Amino acid sequence: MADFVLGIDIGGTYTKYGLVDKKGKVVDEGAFNTHAKEKIEIFLKELKKNISPVVEGKSVIGVGVGAPNVNHFDGTIKQAANIQWGDDVPLKKLIQQVFDLPTALTNDANAAALGEMKYGGAQGMKNFVVFTLGTGLGSGFVVNGELVYGNSGFAGEIGHVSVNPDGRFCGCGRRGCLETYVSATGIKKTVFKMMADYARPSVLRDVSYNDMTAEMITNAAREHDYIAIKAFEYTGQIFGQKLADTVVHTSPEAIFLFGGLVNAGDYLLDPAVYYMEKFMFKPFKKSVKLLPSALMDKNAAVLGAAALAWDELGDK
């Protein structure tokens, strides 16, 4: 019987999972609501209900998990901006109790970086960065072929660098963080700002804030909607500036973008590349590729969580 690992990606809105073999083939997968604003016991109940039938009868050697604000060293979630389960959640211990399997945890964006390195466009690369553009903005750094965790285990949180210290309120408790501008949540806020700033007609004016999605904004841009296009230009400008700052730190060969917002394609990428190069420190100009993830038709974070499990638990 073939061996598998269980890869779990916990996001601010949905939790995705997959049963993955050593070659990266996902044989079973699914998703459910994270219940990020409710008690963690509700999440654990949903986790068991959805995944137990998937692992039953299979040779599963361990669990790999990607989640926001995970401390890789002690397996806890600490003060996650978009998951309100408490300030210090012993997630590794709790998941081990649910499945009675050895478990390894890392930041969700670090998991996406592992997935890109093992199974995606970063195969063979030693230095690259992955940005995940979902409910928030995550980032994972690989330097000299190794994930960067830093002293505290929280290195590389570019989503919480400051764009404007007097800017938008962030779930982390600060103001003006990058993810409040460059994320599915951020671009919704930008659309409403643009609708206030411009008198131009837009199909988005008939959509409430709670009903609006990044996909709607992308579709509007494709139909040449002025407000949607301006929102992507504004988002790309802010993102490009911070990408230029990011390059200075580790000199990556490439930066990969993963997540629903990336489906906007050139509406986001063109301004991001333009402003990245405009603000780039001269020695790095034209040296870094900005690319969509090669795993966009798959689940990079689930594959990355599985890769983590294979690396840390596969020989145990």
Side-chain angles (χ1 to χ4, degrees):
M1 182 181 293
D3 287 337
F4 299 95
V5 297
L6 178 62
I8 301 174
D9 169 42
I10 301 174
T13 305
Y14 294 105
T15 291
K16 301 175 183 178
Y17 59 88
L19 204 58
V20 185
D21 70 15
K22 202 162 189 177
K23 294 182 179 179
K25 181 180 179 181
V26 183
V27 298
D28 204 343
E29 59 188 323
F32 59 90
N33 192 307
T34 299
H35 297 285
K37 295 182 180 180
E38 301 177 59
K39 293 181 178 179
I40 191 172
E41 287 78 11
I42 295 175
F43 166 77
L44 295 172
K45 183 178 179 180
E46 287 293 309
L47 185 73
K48 185 173 184 177
K49 181 180 79 174
N50 284 272
I51 297 180
S52 291
V54 173
V55 301
E56 186 175 355
K58 304 289 197 311
S59 176
V60 181
I61 63 170
V63 183
V65 182
N69 279 48
V70 161
N71 186 322
H72 173 72
F73 300 135
D74 66 12
T76 62
I77 291 182
K78 297 183 183 294
Q79 299 175 328
N82 297 308
I83 295 182
Q84 298 169 18
W85 293 337
D87 289 344
D88 199 345
V89 181
L91 189 63
K92 178 177 178 178
K93 178 182 176 182
L94 293 170
I95 289 179
Q96 285 181 161
Q97 290 172 350
V98 169
F99 296 113
D100 194 25
L101 287 168
T103 301
L105 269 69
T106 191
N107 178 279
D108 51 352
N110 286 339
L114 274 174
E116 204 69 50
M117 182 165 60
K118 299 283 186 183
Y119 308 118
Q123 292 180 68
M125 288 188 187
K126 297 291 186 181
N127 298 279
F128 66 94
V129 183
V130 170
F131 282 87
T132 57
L133 307 180
T135 306
L137 184 151
S139 50
F141 286 73
V142 172
V143 176
N144 297 329
E146 299 288 339
L147 274 172
V148 175
Y149 287 108
N151 180 63
S152 67
F154 292 105
E157 285 284 355
I158 302 299
H160 296 285
V161 300
S162 179
V163 170
N164 176 2
D166 297 316
R168 297 173 180 175
F169 286 95
C170 182
C172 75
R174 299 164 66 237
R175 294 185 68 174
C177 291
L178 180 63
E179 75 167 37
T180 67
Y181 296 89
V182 184
S183 63
T185 308
I187 199 167
K188 282 172 57 175
K189 294 176 180 178
T190 297
V191 163
F192 276 80
K193 178 182 185 299
M194 295 295 177
M195 289 193 295
D197 289 346
Y198 297 100
R200 300 285 287 269
S202 171
V203 296
L204 300 173
R205 293 188 183 276
D206 296 325
V207 184
S208 72
Y209 180 83
N210 287 336
D211 290 336
M212 189 174 292
T213 65
E215 183 179 10
M216 289 179 185
I217 302 168
T218 296
N219 289 338
R222 288 172 179 158
E223 295 299 321
H224 311 293
D225 187 286
Y226 182 83
I227 295 293
I229 291 171
K230 292 294 288 185
F232 275 113
E233 289 176 354
Y234 181 76
T235 302
Q237 178 179 353
I238 292 173
F239 194 27
Q241 292 179 38
K242 291 306 174 183
L243 289 174
D245 292 345
T246 298
V247 168
V248 172
H249 294 291
T250 62
S251 183
E253 177 180 345
I255 297 173
F256 294 92
L257 306 182
F258 181 81
L261 202 58
V262 187
N263 290 326
D266 291 343
Y267 292 107
L268 175 67
L269 292 176
D270 282 354
V273 170
Y274 175 82
Y275 286 102
M276 179 177 76
E277 292 296 340
K278 179 178 180 179
F279 290 98
M280 189 80 78
F281 182 44
K282 286 184 178 180
F284 297 110
K285 280 184 176 291
K286 305 294 183 182
S287 69
V288 182
K289 297 174 289 226
L290 185 63
L291 303 168
S293 167
L295 300 175
M296 283 294 288
D297 60 337
K298 300 179 182 178
N299 194 318
V302 165
L303 284 172
L308 174 71
W310 279 118
D311 285 350
E312 297 202 1
L313 309 172
D315 296 326
K316 295 182 179 181

